[in-house]
């Protein structure tokens, strides 16, 4: 049995999150969260860029119930590389209340993709954040995107805003439904009406196959918790302009946070600030994620 020691500067998830004041609508989905290990059962990848603390499925289910979510979308984290066993184990344990987004290699064969699909995986993540993964050639992503689209999957893309000008056409040309992580990671000290965020809004405007997670104020903020005042205009702009293509999630257990560890209950209380009406909340938390991840239920 391999044991792992978390990085010395690793911030563990909040030990006792508060119960939110905001009452989530019925059937709400936490559409971006992770499971880590436990490393003794599901070893972390040799090529990982960080070693986290274990964040097993049981803790995720407890958080789901405390916050008032019904379901989870678990996104494969880079510390597990392309070994999706911890993810699939969690989905299998969820009683139909979790779906997954995997990480897959360019050489994955159709039968392996079929096994993931059967397990409840409906998407793959393409990660372009250099501190998290080594670069892969674009043609690998293009070929994979075509294969995944045929399966009815979508692709989650994670990138930094400063890389968008170079990547704009590449993303626009990927022939698959795309979901952008964490608002495209804008620099929120800049103007929400400025050219940088304007480019991101243009990407969403010109490509109706693109969705956006309005997640991670805790990663983007400079003004800090719990109000994340500087992130609100960015997230709210996207929610209001693209109400049918937005998703929300906790990002528990919040990998690689350095400034602070959010209280997940207070993160839920932030939702009405970016989705101020019951109609927007229903789309963000229920209708959109169910349409993407539980299409078989025809809500
Ligand atoms: C996130 C963000 C991060 C990490 C990962 O897969 C990952 O390792 O996603 C990050 O460090 O920004 O989405 O949880």
């Amino acid at each position: 049995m391999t044991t792992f020691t978390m990085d010395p500067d690793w911030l563990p998830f909040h030990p006792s999150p508060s119960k939110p004041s905001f009452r989530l609508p019925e059937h709400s989905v936490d559409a971006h969260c992770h499971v880590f290990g436990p490393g003794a059962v599901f070893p972390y990848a040799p090529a990982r860029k960080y070693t986290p603390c274990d964040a097993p499925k049981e803790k995720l289910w407890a958080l789901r119930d405390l916050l008032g979510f019904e379901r989870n979308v678990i996104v494969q984290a880079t510390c597990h590389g392309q070994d999706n066993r911890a993810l699939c184990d969690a989905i299998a344990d969820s009683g139909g209340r979790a779906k997954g987004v995997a990480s897959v290699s360019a050489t994955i064969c159709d039968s392996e993709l079929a096994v993931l699909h059967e397990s409840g995986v409906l998407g793959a993540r393409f990660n372009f954040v250099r501190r998290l993964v080594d670069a892969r050639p674009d043609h690998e992503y293009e070929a994979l995107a075509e294969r995944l689209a045929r399966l009815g999957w979508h692709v989650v893309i994670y990138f930094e805003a400063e890389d968008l000008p170079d990547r704009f056409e590449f993303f626009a040309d990927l022939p698959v439904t795309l979901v952008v992580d964490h608002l495209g990671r804008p620099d929120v000290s800049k103007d929400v009406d400025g050219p940088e965020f304007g480019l991101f809004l243009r990407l969403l405007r010109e490509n109706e196959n693109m969705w956006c997670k309005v997640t991670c104020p805790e990663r983007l903020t400079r003004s800090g918790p719990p109000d994340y005042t500087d992130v609100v205009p960015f997230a709210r702009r996207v929610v209001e302009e693209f109400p049918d293509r937005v998703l929300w999630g906790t990002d528990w257990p919040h990998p690689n946070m350095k400034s602070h560890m959010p209280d997940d209950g207070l993160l839920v209380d932030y939702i009405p600030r970016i989705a101020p009406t019951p109609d927007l909340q229903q789309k963000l938390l229920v209708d959109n994620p169910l349409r993407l991840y539980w299409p078989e239920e025809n809500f």
Side-chain angles (χ1 to χ4, degrees):
M1 185 174 85
T2 320
T3 53
F4 295 88
T5 307
M6 72 177 185
D7 294 339
D9 62 345
W10 190 262
L11 292 184
F13 52 88
H14 197 291
S16 51
S18 55
K19 180 120 189 116
S21 312
F22 174 58
R23 220 167 137 212
L24 291 164
E26 200 184 358
H27 309 304
S28 284
V29 181
D30 176 351
H32 185 97
C33 50
H34 310 284
V35 288
F36 294 159
V41 183
F42 303 109
Y44 298 113
R48 68 192 178 279
K49 306 286 187 195
Y50 60 85
T51 304
C53 66
D54 287 339
K57 56 184 184 279
E58 295 82 3
K59 295 271 185 202
L60 180 59
W61 307 154
L63 182 76
R64 173 198 66 199
D65 296 344
L66 173 83
L67 300 180
F69 286 102
E70 184 181 88
R71 304 171 190 224
N72 298 91
V73 178
I74 304 173
V75 178
Q76 172 78 348
T78 56
C79 57
H80 277 298
Q82 286 151 1
D83 174 352
N84 295 288
R85 280 178 298 166
L87 169 70
C88 291
D89 169 73
I91 299 172
D93 187 67
S94 73
R97 294 169 69 184
K99 293 280 176 95
V101 174
S103 178
V104 298
S105 75
T107 54
I108 189 167
C109 62
D110 287 346
S111 59
E112 288 171 294
L113 279 178
V115 170
L116 287 172
H117 192 84
E118 279 304 301
S119 309
V121 171
L122 286 181
R125 194 182 199 200
F126 293 179
N127 198 323
F128 301 93
V129 177
R130 280 179 286 269
R131 70 185 159 78
L132 291 173
V133 284
D134 297 325
R136 289 160 61 179
D138 286 356
H139 66 82
E140 284 191 7
Y141 290 119
E142 287 156 352
L144 256 179
E146 267 184 37
R147 291 177 64 203
L148 301 179
R150 268 184 257 129
L151 267 181
W153 285 22
H154 63 274
V155 165
V156 170
I157 50 176
Y158 191 23
F159 61 88
E160 309 270 9
E162 66 202 35
D163 294 327
L164 183 57
D166 282 347
R167 285 268 168 213
F168 190 97
E169 295 303 331
F170 171 74
F171 291 147
D173 288 345
L174 286 174
V176 66
T177 299
L178 293 174
V179 182
V180 178
D181 269 342
H182 314 336
L183 283 166
R185 291 200 63 120
D187 176 347
V188 298
S189 68
K190 295 198 167 147
D191 188 351
V192 68
D193 293 312
E196 294 85 359
F197 200 59
L199 186 68
F200 180 61
L201 293 173
R202 185 155 79 79
L203 184 73
L204 293 176
R205 238 173 249 144
E206 292 178 359
N207 298 282
E208 288 193 353
N209 61 323
M210 287 205 193
W211 295 47
C212 180
K213 291 186 202 160
V214 290
T215 35
C216 284
E218 73 281 9
R219 277 184 201 288
L220 305 174
T221 189
R222 302 199 180 188
S223 61
D227 292 337
Y228 304 118
T229 309
D230 50 354
V231 187
V232 170
F234 292 81
R236 186 164 165 168
R237 175 68 60 87
V238 173
V239 170
E240 290 182 336
E241 188 170 342
F242 309 100
D244 297 313
R245 293 191 259 148
V246 284
L247 301 170
W248 194 87
T250 55
D251 195 31
W252 186 90
H254 311 285
N256 300 309
M257 284 298 294
K258 301 288 179 234
S259 57
H260 67 288
M261 182 49 58
D263 172 336
D264 299 275
L266 297 181
L267 274 182
V268 168
D269 285 339
Y270 160 88
I271 297 172
R273 306 188 63 209
I274 63 167
T277 67
D279 184 47
L280 289 172
Q281 292 160 9
Q282 174 73 20
K283 289 180 171 190
L284 175 66
L285 297 160
V286 183
D287 298 350
N288 299 343
L290 290 182
R291 199 165 78 248
L292 196 59
Y293 289 101
W294 279 270
E296 70 280 7
E297 290 192 27
N298 287 318
F299 267 91

